[in-house]
């Protein structure tokens, strides 16, 4: 495997549509739950252990060869908010386009054929990692990191937060992201033998509620 | 990992054909600073061209759906031919660095209401450096106006210097804001050499006719 491929896939500039999404940060900022670096850190910690863990496990399971349609259904079941399901599929479709151009593979072509309007982003992320020659740990790390890096950069724009403070938040969360990625891979390995029910189903209710609220706003900076 | 070229070309932007082998619509981008008249130009083009061409519009609003709603309210095209893309506070990212959401919008329009001859992609109002990716559009128009300062052509920048067509809008306002049209024309010529410039007042008799004629020329070249 190429370790540098992981950097390509995890790069915030990888053209897969993430820049238009805040990972729930815009709703949390408007609700007054994220107001500064400290509350951003709390918010990101919550996301990493819920949305990040679930996404990491789904992505790792896809790298391990579990059926994409089954994983996609498992992702649906773990995403109560229709707005978040729609956003995850939109981001999955955009990631698939970038991944097919970057690492052409039969599996990615087949996924595009089966899900013309997009599969859940973590499932696509796993298959993209697989096409890039990466392992389940790599995919879990990408998903866990994305779960906090998106909200952090969005908050810099939303609150004019000092960008050094936001990056400091991400650095302080790194040891926790290690643990999230480890748990995600462990669950994914279990799911290979026990089925998708072994995948984690952690969720942050306020993220789901906030996403529905946010989707109804007429004026917003981010798509989700 | 496969890096051979045996895969179906994923429908990446610049490809002139759709997955079914038919030729796709010509895509023209319209960019420029806030308030220079991009949406008004798009609306006028739709009114001028809709009888002779099958066309659709993608708008990139920064934080609202106002541009799309303006076009809908003005009924320049049926609503199913107008799509709004959300850009996450960064209009130039969505048209240049990460074009995936815009590519989806143009492809979905062709699927839903095609075949189309022409798709106009309107950028959110931005600064003088904003240009469209060649992966998204086949030609781009940069719209500035006389009220934004008659030194803009002299200052240049990627939009003014490299756009396939420069439109200097609101010439009717020149006497009221003290803009020297002859100087603007000379500066534009110096920056752009042989690339065309149109001076336009949508309130005047000629309206959008010159830009529409340029669009027809591009279309003739595209379908030739």
């Amino acid at each position: 495997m190429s370790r540098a491929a992981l950097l390509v896939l995890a790069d915030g500039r990888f053209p897969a549509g993430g820049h238009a999404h805040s990972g729930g940060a815009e709703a949390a900022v408007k609700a007054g739950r994220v107001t500064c670096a400290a509350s951003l850190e709390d918010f990101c910690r919550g996301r990493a252990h819920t949305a990040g863990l679930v996404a990491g496990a789904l992505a790792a399971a896809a790298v391990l060869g579990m059926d994409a349609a089954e994983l996609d259904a498992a992702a649906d079941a773990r995403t109560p908010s229709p707005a978040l399901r729609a956003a995850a599929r939109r981001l999955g479709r955009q990631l698939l386009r970038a991944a097919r151009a970057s690492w052409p593979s039969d599996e990615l072509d087949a996924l595009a054929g089966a899900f013309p309007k997009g599969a859940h982003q973590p499932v696509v992320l796993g298959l993209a990692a697989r096409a890039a020659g990466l392992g389940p740990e790599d995919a879990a790390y990408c998903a866990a990191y994305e779960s906090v890096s998106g909200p952090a950069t969005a908050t810099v724009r939303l609150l004019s937060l000092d960008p050094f403070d936001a990056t400091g938040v991400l650095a302080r969360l790194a040891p926790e992201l290690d643990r999230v990625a480890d748990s995600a891979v462990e669950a994914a390995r279990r799911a290979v033998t026990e089925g998708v029910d072994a995948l984690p189903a952690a969720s942050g209710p306020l993220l789901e509620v906030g996403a529905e609220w946010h989707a109804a706003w007429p004026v917003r900076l981010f798509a989700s | 990992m496969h890096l051979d070229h045996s895969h179906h070309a994923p429908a990446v932007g610049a490809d002139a054909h759709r997955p079914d082998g038919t030729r796709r619509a010509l895509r023209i981008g319209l960019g420029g600073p806030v308030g220079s008249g991009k949406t008004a130009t798009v609306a006028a083009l739709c009114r001028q061209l809709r009888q002779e061409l099958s066309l659709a519009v993608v708008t990139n609003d920064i934080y609202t759906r106002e541009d799309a709603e303006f076009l809908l309210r003005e009924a320049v095209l049926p609503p199913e031919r107008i799509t709004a893309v959300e850009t996450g506070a960064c209009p130039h990212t969505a048209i240049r660095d990460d074009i995936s959401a815009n590519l989806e919008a143009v492809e979905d329009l062709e699927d839903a209401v095609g075949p189309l001859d022409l798709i106009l992609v309107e950028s959110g109002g931005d600064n003088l450096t904003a240009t469209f990716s060649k992966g998204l559009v086949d030609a781009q128009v940069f719209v500035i106006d006389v009220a934004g300062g008659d030194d803009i052509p002299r200052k240049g920048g990627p939009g003014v210097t490299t756009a396939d067509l420069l439109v200097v809008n609101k010439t009717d306002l020149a006497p009221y804001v003290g803009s020297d049209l002859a100087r603007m024309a000379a500066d534009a010529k110096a920056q752009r050499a042989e690339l065309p410039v149109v001076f336009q007042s949508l309130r005047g008799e000629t309206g959008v006719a010159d830009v529409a004629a340029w669009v027809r020329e591009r279309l003739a070249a595209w379908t030739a």
Side-chain angles (χ1 to χ4, degrees):
Chain A
M1 74 162 252
S2 157
R3 176 171 284 179
L6 174 58
L7 298 179
V8 176
L9 183 60
D11 191 337
R13 292 179 195 163
F14 193 69
H19 69 92
H21 295 258
S22 78
E26 186 165 28
V29 164
K30 183 87 159 255
R33 288 192 292 274
V34 172
T35 56
C36 59
S39 46
L40 172 65
E41 186 167 335
D42 291 343
F43 177 82
C44 287
R45 181 172 293 110
R47 257 185 78 78
H49 288 284
T50 53
L53 174 67
V54 172
L58 286 163
V63 182
L64 291 169
M66 287 190 72
D67 179 62
E70 217 179 325
L71 290 174
D72 187 73
D76 257 348
R78 285 159 177 75
T79 316
S81 155
L84 281 186
R85 288 202 293 271
R89 289 187 184 285
R90 206 176 311 138
L91 284 169
R93 183 177 171 196
Q94 291 174 233
L95 174 58
L96 186 55
R97 179 194 301 277
R100 290 173 79 195
S102 308
W103 299 286
S105 91
D106 293 332
E107 278 184 347
L108 293 177
D109 290 353
L111 187 68
F115 292 93
K117 297 292 175 196
H120 273 266
Q121 194 267 2
V123 181
V124 180
L125 179 63
L127 286 175
R130 196 170 143 101
L134 296 166
E137 295 81 7
D138 302 314
Y141 264 101
C142 273
Y145 182 65
E146 273 177 6
S147 76
V148 296
S149 64
T153 49
T155 304
V156 169
R157 294 184 197 167
L158 290 162
L159 288 177
S160 303
L161 192 69
D162 184 330
F164 299 113
D165 287 342
T167 304
V169 165
L170 294 176
R172 279 194 297 283
L173 287 171
E176 284 190 61
L177 295 176
D178 289 337
R179 289 198 290 280
V180 167
D182 284 348
S183 311
V185 173
E186 198 188 308
R189 291 198 191 284
R190 241 185 0 258
V192 171
T193 51
E194 296 172 23
V196 292
D197 286 352
L199 295 171
S203 92
L206 278 178
L207 283 175
E208 307 282 336
V209 172
E212 289 300 305
W213 180 50
H214 180 268
W217 297 356
V219 175
R220 57 183 183 229
L221 281 181
F222 292 91
S224 80
Chain B
M1 184 170 23
H2 313 272
L3 285 174
D4 60 89
H5 297 284
S6 62
H7 299 276
H8 292 295
V12 175
D15 193 337
H17 292 89
R18 308 185 58 220
D20 65 5
T22 56
R23 196 166 172 82
R24 66 164 170 79
L26 175 70
R27 301 175 193 151
I28 292 182
L30 291 98
V34 177
S36 62
K38 295 180 294 300
T39 310
T41 301
V42 166
L45 278 174
C46 288
R47 289 191 197 98
Q48 184 110 170
L49 297 171
R50 66 190 173 194
Q51 301 300 335
E52 56 192 279
L53 299 174
S54 174
L55 75 160
V57 174
V58 176
T59 64
N60 280 254
D61 283 322
I62 310 171
Y63 54 86
T64 68
R65 296 174 46 84
E66 288 216 4
D67 290 343
E69 278 162 12
F70 173 83
L71 296 173
L72 290 168
R73 210 165 46 240
E74 295 283 302
V76 295
L77 288 177
E80 66 274 16
R81 288 175 178 261
I82 301 170
T83 296
V85 168
E86 289 179 290
T87 59
C90 232
H92 50 269
T93 304
I95 62 163
R96 187 185 58 207
D97 309 309
D98 182 351
I99 57 177
S100 48
N102 269 297
L103 282 175
E104 258 162 40
V106 297
E107 288 168 8
D108 285 352
L109 279 168
E110 286 207 80
D111 285 345
V113 298
L116 293 168
D117 302 307
L118 173 67
I119 300 179
L120 300 173
V121 183
E122 181 193 341
S123 165
D126 207 329
N127 60 46
L128 296 173
T129 66
T131 51
F132 284 83
S133 164
K134 289 187 170 75
L136 177 60
V137 301
D138 305 297
Q140 51 194 305
V141 181
F142 200 73
V143 183
I144 61 174
D145 72 290
V146 301
D150 62 3
D151 53 352
I152 288 181
R154 180 177 51 75
K155 287 180 180 166
V160 165
T161 310
T162 65
D164 299 289
L165 178 68
L166 177 67
V167 174
V168 182
N169 201 19
K170 308 184 192 177
T171 51
D172 50 315
L173 295 182
Y176 306 107
V177 295
S179 283
D180 180 343
L181 294 180
R183 179 181 149 195
M184 291 183 89
D187 289 343
K189 175 79 186 161
Q191 291 283 359
R192 296 172 52 79
E194 297 310 310
L195 287 170
V197 183
V198 164
F199 282 77
Q200 160 182 289
S201 163
L202 293 174
R203 293 174 187 277
E205 221 170 88
T206 333
V208 80
D210 290 343
V211 179
W214 177 85
V215 169
R216 286 191 196 94
E217 277 171 32
R218 303 302 298 214
L219 196 62
W222 174 251
T223 48

